[in-house]
Coordinates of all heavy atoms in Angstrom, one line a residue:
V149 N -17.9 3.0 61.9 CA -17.0 4.2 61.7 C -17.4 4.8 60.4 O -17.5 4.1 59.4 CB -15.5 3.7 61.6 CG1 -14.6 4.9 61.3 CG2 -15.1 3.1 62.9
V150 N -17.5 6.1 60.4 CA -17.8 6.9 59.2 C -16.7 7.8 58.8 O -16.3 8.7 59.7 CB -19.1 7.7 59.4 CG1 -19.4 8.6 58.1 CG2 -20.3 6.8 59.7
T151 N -16.1 7.7 57.7 CA -15.1 8.6 57.2 C -15.7 9.8 56.4 O -16.9 9.7 56.1 CB -14.1 7.9 56.3 OG1 -14.8 7.4 55.1 CG2 -13.4 6.7 57.0
T152 N -14.9 10.8 56.2 CA -15.4 12.0 55.5 C -16.7 12.5 56.1 O -17.6 12.8 55.3 CB -15.5 11.8 54.0 OG1 -16.5 10.9 53.6 CG2 -14.1 11.4 53.4
P153 N -16.8 12.7 57.4 CA -18.1 13.0 58.0 C -18.6 14.5 57.7 O -19.7 14.8 58.1 CB -17.9 12.8 59.5 CG -16.4 13.1 59.7 CD -15.8 12.5 58.4
T154 N -17.7 15.3 57.2 CA -18.1 16.7 56.8 C -18.2 16.8 55.3 O -18.5 17.9 54.8 CB -17.1 17.7 57.4 OG1 -15.8 17.5 56.8 CG2 -17.1 17.6 58.9
G155 N -18.0 15.8 54.5 CA -18.0 15.8 53.1 C -19.5 15.8 52.5 O -20.4 15.5 53.3
S156 N -19.6 15.9 51.2 CA -21.0 16.0 50.6 C -21.7 14.7 50.8 O -23.0 14.7 50.9 CB -20.8 16.4 49.1 OG -20.1 15.4 48.4
I157 N -21.0 13.6 50.7 CA -21.7 12.3 50.9 C -21.6 11.9 52.4 O -22.6 11.4 53.0 CB -21.1 11.2 50.0 CG1 -21.4 11.5 48.5 CG2 -21.7 9.8 50.3 CD1 -20.7 10.6 47.6
G158 N -20.4 12.0 53.0 CA -20.2 11.5 54.3 C -21.1 12.1 55.4 O -21.5 11.4 56.3
H159 N -21.3 13.4 55.2 CA -22.2 14.0 56.3 C -23.6 13.5 56.2 O -24.3 13.4 57.2 CB -22.1 15.5 56.2 CG -23.1 16.2 55.3 ND1 -22.9 16.3 53.9 CD2 -24.4 16.6 55.6 CE1 -24.0 16.9 53.4 NE2 -24.9 17.1 54.4
Q160 N -24.1 13.1 55.0 CA -25.4 12.6 54.8 C -25.5 11.1 55.3 O -26.5 10.7 55.9 CB -25.8 12.7 53.4 CG -26.0 14.1 52.8 CD -26.4 14.1 51.4 OE1 -27.6 14.1 51.1 NE2 -25.5 14.2 50.5
V161 N -24.4 10.4 55.1 CA -24.3 9.0 55.7 C -24.4 9.1 57.2 O -25.2 8.4 57.8 CB -23.0 8.3 55.2 CG1 -22.8 7.0 56.0 CG2 -23.0 8.1 53.7
L162 N -23.6 10.0 57.8 CA -23.6 10.1 59.2 C -25.0 10.5 59.8 O -25.5 9.9 60.8 CB -22.6 11.1 59.6 CG -22.4 11.3 61.2 CD1 -22.0 10.0 61.8 CD2 -21.3 12.4 61.4
E163 N -25.6 11.5 59.1 CA -27.0 11.9 59.5 C -28.0 10.7 59.5 O -28.8 10.5 60.4 CB -27.5 13.0 58.7 CG -26.7 14.4 58.9 CD -27.1 15.4 58.0 OE1 -28.0 15.2 57.1 OE2 -26.6 16.5 58.0
N164 N -27.9 9.9 58.4 CA -28.8 8.8 58.2 C -28.6 7.8 59.3 O -29.5 7.2 59.9 CB -28.6 8.1 56.9 CG -29.4 8.8 55.8 OD1 -30.6 8.5 55.7 ND2 -28.8 9.6 54.9
V165 N -27.3 7.5 59.6 CA -27.0 6.5 60.7 C -27.5 7.0 62.0 O -28.1 6.3 62.8 CB -25.5 6.2 60.7 CG1 -25.1 5.4 61.9 CG2 -25.0 5.5 59.4
L166 N -27.2 8.2 62.4 CA -27.6 8.8 63.7 C -29.1 8.8 63.8 O -29.6 8.6 64.9 CB -27.0 10.2 63.9 CG -25.5 10.2 64.1 CD1 -25.0 11.7 64.1 CD2 -25.1 9.5 65.4
D167 N -29.8 9.1 62.7 CA -31.3 9.1 62.7 C -31.9 7.8 63.0 O -33.0 7.7 63.5 CB -31.8 9.6 61.4 CG -31.7 11.1 61.2 OD1 -31.4 11.8 62.2 OD2 -31.8 11.6 60.1
N168 N -31.1 6.7 62.8 CA -31.6 5.4 63.0 C -31.0 4.6 64.2 O -31.2 3.4 64.3 CB -31.4 4.6 61.7 CG -32.4 5.0 60.6 OD1 -33.5 4.6 60.6 ND2 -31.9 5.9 59.7
V169 N -30.2 5.3 64.9 CA -29.5 4.7 66.1 C -30.0 5.5 67.4 O -29.7 6.7 67.4 CB -28.0 4.7 66.0 CG1 -27.3 4.3 67.3 CG2 -27.6 3.9 64.8
P170 N -30.6 4.9 68.3 CA -30.9 5.6 69.6 C -29.7 6.2 70.2 O -28.6 5.7 70.1 CB -31.6 4.5 70.4 CG -31.9 3.4 69.5 CD -30.9 3.5 68.4
D171 N -29.9 7.3 71.0 CA -28.8 7.9 71.7 C -28.1 6.9 72.6 O -26.9 7.0 72.9 CB -29.3 9.1 72.6 CG -29.7 10.2 71.7 OD1 -29.3 10.3 70.5 OD2 -30.5 11.1 72.2
S172 N -28.8 5.9 73.1 CA -28.2 4.9 74.0 C -27.7 3.7 73.2 O -27.4 2.7 73.8 CB -29.2 4.5 75.1 OG -30.4 4.0 74.5
G173 N -27.8 3.8 71.9 CA -27.5 2.6 71.1 C -26.1 2.5 70.7 O -25.2 2.8 71.4
E174 N -25.9 2.0 69.5 CA -24.5 1.6 69.0 C -23.6 2.8 68.9 O -24.0 3.9 68.5 CB -24.6 0.9 67.6 CG -23.3 0.4 67.1 CD -23.6 -0.5 65.9 OE1 -24.7 -0.5 65.4 OE2 -22.6 -1.2 65.5
L175 N -22.3 2.6 69.3 CA -21.4 3.7 69.2 C -21.0 4.0 67.8 O -20.8 3.1 66.9 CB -20.1 3.3 69.9 CG -18.9 4.3 69.9 CD1 -19.3 5.5 70.6 CD2 -17.7 3.6 70.5
I176 N -21.0 5.3 67.4 CA -20.7 5.8 66.1 C -19.4 6.6 66.3 O -19.3 7.5 67.1 CB -21.8 6.7 65.5 CG1 -23.1 6.0 65.6 CG2 -21.4 7.0 64.1 CD1 -23.2 4.7 64.9
R177 N -18.4 6.3 65.4 CA -17.1 7.0 65.5 C -16.8 7.6 64.1 O -17.2 7.0 63.1 CB -16.0 6.0 65.8 CG -14.6 6.6 65.9 CD -13.6 5.5 66.4 NE -13.8 5.1 67.8 CZ -13.3 4.0 68.3 NH1 -12.7 3.1 67.5 NH2 -13.5 3.8 69.6
V178 N -16.2 8.7 64.1 CA -15.8 9.4 62.8 C -14.4 9.7 62.8 O -13.7 9.9 63.9 CB -16.7 10.7 62.6 CG1 -18.2 10.3 62.6 CG2 -16.4 11.7 63.6
I179 N -13.8 9.8 61.6 CA -12.4 10.4 61.5 C -12.6 11.8 60.8 O -13.2 11.9 59.8 CB -11.6 9.5 60.5 CG1 -11.5 8.1 61.1 CG2 -10.2 10.1 60.3 CD1 -10.8 7.1 60.1
A180 N -12.1 12.8 61.5 CA -12.2 14.1 61.0 C -10.9 14.9 61.2 O -10.3 14.9 62.2 CB -13.3 14.9 61.8
R181 N -10.4 15.5 60.1 CA -9.3 16.4 60.2 C -9.5 17.6 61.1 O -8.7 18.0 61.9 CB -8.9 16.9 58.8 CG -8.1 16.0 57.9 CD -7.8 16.7 56.6 NE -7.1 15.9 55.7 CZ -5.7 15.8 55.6 NH1 -5.0 16.5 56.5 NH2 -5.1 15.1 54.7
D182 N -10.7 18.1 61.0 CA -11.1 19.3 61.7 C -12.5 19.1 62.4 O -13.5 19.4 61.8 CB -11.2 20.6 60.8 CG -11.5 21.8 61.5 OD1 -11.7 21.8 62.8 OD2 -11.7 22.9 60.9
P183 N -12.5 18.6 63.6 CA -13.7 18.2 64.3 C -14.7 19.4 64.5 O -15.9 19.3 64.6 CB -13.3 17.7 65.6 CG -11.9 17.2 65.4 CD -11.3 18.1 64.4
S184 N -14.1 20.7 64.4 CA -14.9 21.8 64.6 C -15.9 22.0 63.5 O -16.9 22.8 63.6 CB -14.1 23.1 64.8 OG -13.4 23.4 63.5
R185 N -15.7 21.4 62.3 CA -16.6 21.5 61.2 C -17.8 20.6 61.4 O -18.8 20.7 60.7 CB -15.9 21.1 59.9 CG -14.8 22.0 59.5 CD -14.2 21.6 58.2 NE -15.1 21.5 57.1 CZ -15.0 20.8 56.0 NH1 -13.9 20.1 55.8 NH2 -15.9 20.8 55.0
L186 N -17.8 19.7 62.4 CA -19.0 18.9 62.7 C -20.0 19.7 63.5 O -19.6 20.5 64.4 CB -18.6 17.7 63.5 CG -17.7 16.6 62.8 CD1 -17.1 15.7 63.9 CD2 -18.6 15.8 61.9
P187 N -21.3 19.6 63.2 CA -22.3 20.3 64.0 C -22.2 19.9 65.4 O -21.8 18.8 65.7 CB -23.6 19.9 63.4 CG -23.3 19.4 62.0 CD -21.9 18.9 62.1
S188 N -22.4 20.9 66.3 CA -22.2 20.6 67.8 C -23.1 19.5 68.2 O -22.6 18.6 69.0 CB -22.5 21.9 68.6 OG -23.9 22.3 68.3
Q189 N -24.3 19.3 67.7 CA -25.2 18.3 68.1 C -24.7 16.9 67.6 O -24.9 15.9 68.3 CB -26.6 18.5 67.7 CG -26.8 18.5 66.2 CD -26.7 19.9 65.5 OE1 -26.0 20.7 66.1 NE2 -27.4 20.1 64.4
T190 N -23.9 16.9 66.5 CA -23.3 15.7 66.0 C -22.1 15.3 66.9 O -22.0 14.1 67.3 CB -22.9 15.8 64.6 OG1 -24.1 16.1 63.8 CG2 -22.2 14.6 64.0
R191 N -21.3 16.3 67.2 CA -20.1 16.0 68.0 C -20.5 15.4 69.4 O -19.8 14.5 69.9 CB -19.3 17.3 68.3 CG -18.6 17.8 67.0 CD -17.4 18.7 67.4 NE -17.8 19.8 68.2 CZ -18.3 21.0 67.7 NH1 -18.4 21.2 66.4 NH2 -18.6 22.0 68.5
E192 N -21.7 15.7 69.9 CA -22.1 15.2 71.2 C -22.5 13.7 71.1 O -22.6 13.1 72.1 CB -23.3 16.0 71.7 CG -22.9 17.5 72.1 CD -24.2 18.3 72.3 OE1 -25.3 17.8 72.2 OE2 -24.0 19.5 72.6
R193 N -22.8 13.3 69.9 CA -23.3 11.9 69.7 C -22.3 10.9 69.1 O -22.6 9.7 69.0 CB -24.6 11.9 68.8 CG -25.7 12.7 69.5 CD -27.0 12.5 68.6 NE -27.3 11.0 68.6 CZ -28.2 10.5 67.7 NH1 -28.9 11.3 66.9 NH2 -28.5 9.2 67.7
V194 N -21.1 11.4 68.8 CA -20.1 10.5 68.1 C -18.8 10.6 68.8 O -18.5 11.5 69.5 CB -19.9 10.8 66.6 CG1 -21.3 10.7 65.9 CG2 -19.3 12.2 66.5
D195 N -18.0 9.5 68.7 CA -16.6 9.5 69.1 C -15.8 10.0 68.0 O -15.9 9.4 66.9 CB -16.3 8.1 69.5 CG -14.8 8.0 70.0 OD1 -14.4 8.9 70.7 OD2 -14.2 6.9 69.7
V196 N -15.0 11.0 68.2 CA -14.2 11.6 67.1 C -12.7 11.2 67.2 O -12.1 11.4 68.3 CB -14.3 13.2 67.2 CG1 -13.5 13.8 66.0 CG2 -15.8 13.6 67.0
V197 N -12.2 10.7 66.2 CA -10.7 10.5 66.0 C -10.2 11.6 65.1 O -10.6 11.6 63.9 CB -10.4 9.1 65.5 CG1 -8.9 9.0 65.3 CG2 -10.9 8.0 66.5
Q198 N -9.4 12.5 65.6 CA -8.9 13.6 64.8 C -7.7 13.2 64.0 O -6.8 12.5 64.5 CB -8.6 14.8 65.6 CG -8.2 16.0 64.8 CD -8.0 17.3 65.7 OE1 -8.2 17.2 66.9 NE2 -7.8 18.4 65.0
G199 N -7.7 13.5 62.7 CA -6.5 13.2 61.9 C -6.9 12.9 60.5 O -8.0 13.0 60.1
S200 N -5.9 12.5 59.7 CA -6.1 12.2 58.3 C -6.3 10.7 58.0 O -5.6 9.9 58.7 CB -4.9 12.7 57.5 OG -5.0 12.3 56.1
M201 N -7.1 10.4 57.1 CA -7.4 9.0 56.8 C -6.2 8.2 56.2 O -6.3 7.0 56.1 CB -8.6 8.9 55.8 CG -9.9 9.4 56.4 SD -11.1 9.8 55.1 CE -11.0 8.4 54.0
D202 N -5.2 8.9 55.7 CA -4.0 8.2 55.2 C -2.9 8.0 56.2 O -1.8 7.6 55.9 CB -3.5 9.0 53.9 CG -3.0 10.4 54.3 OD1 -3.2 10.9 55.4 OD2 -2.5 11.0 53.3
D203 N -3.3 8.3 57.5 CA -2.3 8.1 58.6 C -2.6 6.8 59.2 O -3.7 6.6 59.8 CB -2.5 9.2 59.6 CG -1.4 9.2 60.7 OD1 -1.1 8.1 61.1 OD2 -1.0 10.3 61.1
I204 N -1.7 5.8 59.2 CA -1.9 4.5 59.7 C -2.3 4.5 61.2 O -3.1 3.7 61.7 CB -0.7 3.6 59.5 CG1 -1.0 2.1 60.0 CG2 0.5 4.1 60.2 CD1 -2.1 1.4 59.3
D205 N -1.7 5.4 62.0 CA -2.0 5.5 63.4 C -3.4 6.0 63.6 O -4.1 5.5 64.5 CB -1.0 6.4 64.1 CG 0.4 5.9 64.2 OD1 0.5 4.7 64.2 OD2 1.3 6.7 64.2
V206 N -3.9 6.9 62.8 CA -5.2 7.4 62.9 C -6.3 6.4 62.6 O -7.2 6.1 63.3 CB -5.4 8.7 62.0 CG1 -6.9 9.1 61.9 CG2 -4.6 9.8 62.5
V207 N -6.1 5.7 61.4 CA -7.1 4.7 61.0 C -7.1 3.5 62.0 O -8.1 2.9 62.3 CB -7.0 4.2 59.6 CG1 -7.4 5.4 58.6 CG2 -5.6 3.8 59.2
T208 N -5.9 3.1 62.5 CA -5.8 2.0 63.4 C -6.6 2.3 64.7 O -7.4 1.5 65.2 CB -4.4 1.7 63.7 OG1 -3.7 1.3 62.5 CG2 -4.3 0.5 64.7
K209 N -6.4 3.5 65.2 CA -7.2 4.0 66.4 C -8.6 4.0 66.1 O -9.5 3.5 66.9 CB -6.7 5.3 66.8 CG -7.4 5.9 68.1 CD -6.8 7.3 68.4 CE -7.5 7.8 69.7 NZ -7.0 9.2 70.0
A210 N -9.0 4.5 64.9 CA -10.4 4.6 64.6 C -11.1 3.3 64.4 O -12.3 3.1 64.8 CB -10.6 5.5 63.3
F211 N -10.4 2.3 63.8 CA -11.0 1.0 63.5 C -10.9 0.0 64.7 O -11.5 -1.0 64.6 CB -10.3 0.4 62.3 CG -10.5 1.1 61.0 CD1 -11.3 2.2 60.9 CD2 -9.9 0.6 59.8 CE1 -11.5 2.9 59.7 CE2 -10.1 1.3 58.6 CZ -10.9 2.4 58.5
N212 N -10.3 0.4 65.8 CA -10.2 -0.5 66.9 C -11.6 -0.7 67.5 O -12.3 0.3 67.9 CB -9.3 0.2 68.0 CG -9.2 -0.7 69.2 OD1 -9.2 -1.9 69.2 ND2 -9.0 0.0 70.4
G213 N -12.1 -1.9 67.5 CA -13.4 -2.3 68.0 C -14.5 -2.1 67.0 O -15.7 -2.3 67.3
A214 N -14.2 -1.7 65.7 CA -15.2 -1.4 64.7 C -15.7 -2.7 64.1 O -14.9 -3.6 63.8 CB -14.7 -0.5 63.6
D215 N -17.0 -2.8 63.9 CA -17.6 -3.9 63.1 C -17.7 -3.5 61.6 O -17.4 -4.3 60.8 CB -19.0 -4.2 63.7 CG -19.0 -4.7 65.1 OD1 -18.4 -5.7 65.3 OD2 -19.5 -4.0 66.0
T216 N -18.1 -2.3 61.4 CA -18.4 -1.9 60.0 C -17.8 -0.5 59.7 O -17.9 0.4 60.6 CB -19.9 -1.8 59.7 OG1 -20.5 -3.1 60.1 CG2 -20.2 -1.6 58.2

Side-chain angles (χ1 to χ4, degrees):
V149 176
V150 176
T151 61
T152 65
T154 60
S156 61
I157 296 175
H159 89 272
Q160 295 181 87
V161 172
L162 183 56
E163 288 173 3
N164 273 283
V165 170
L166 289 174
D167 284 346
N168 288 279
V169 174
D171 288 341
S172 58
E174 187 167 11
L175 177 64
I176 310 300
R177 181 177 289 160
V178 303
I179 302 174
R181 280 182 179 271
D182 182 3
S184 68
R185 293 182 60 200
L186 292 164
S188 58
Q189 64 271 27
T190 299
R191 291 200 303 271
E192 293 170 0
R193 295 190 59 193
V194 301
D195 180 37
V196 180
V197 174
Q198 184 171 4
S200 174
M201 293 159 50
D202 61 354
D203 185 325
I204 185 61
D205 293 331
V206 170
V207 289
T208 299
K209 181 179 179 181
F211 292 1
N212 181 31
D215 297 298
T216 307

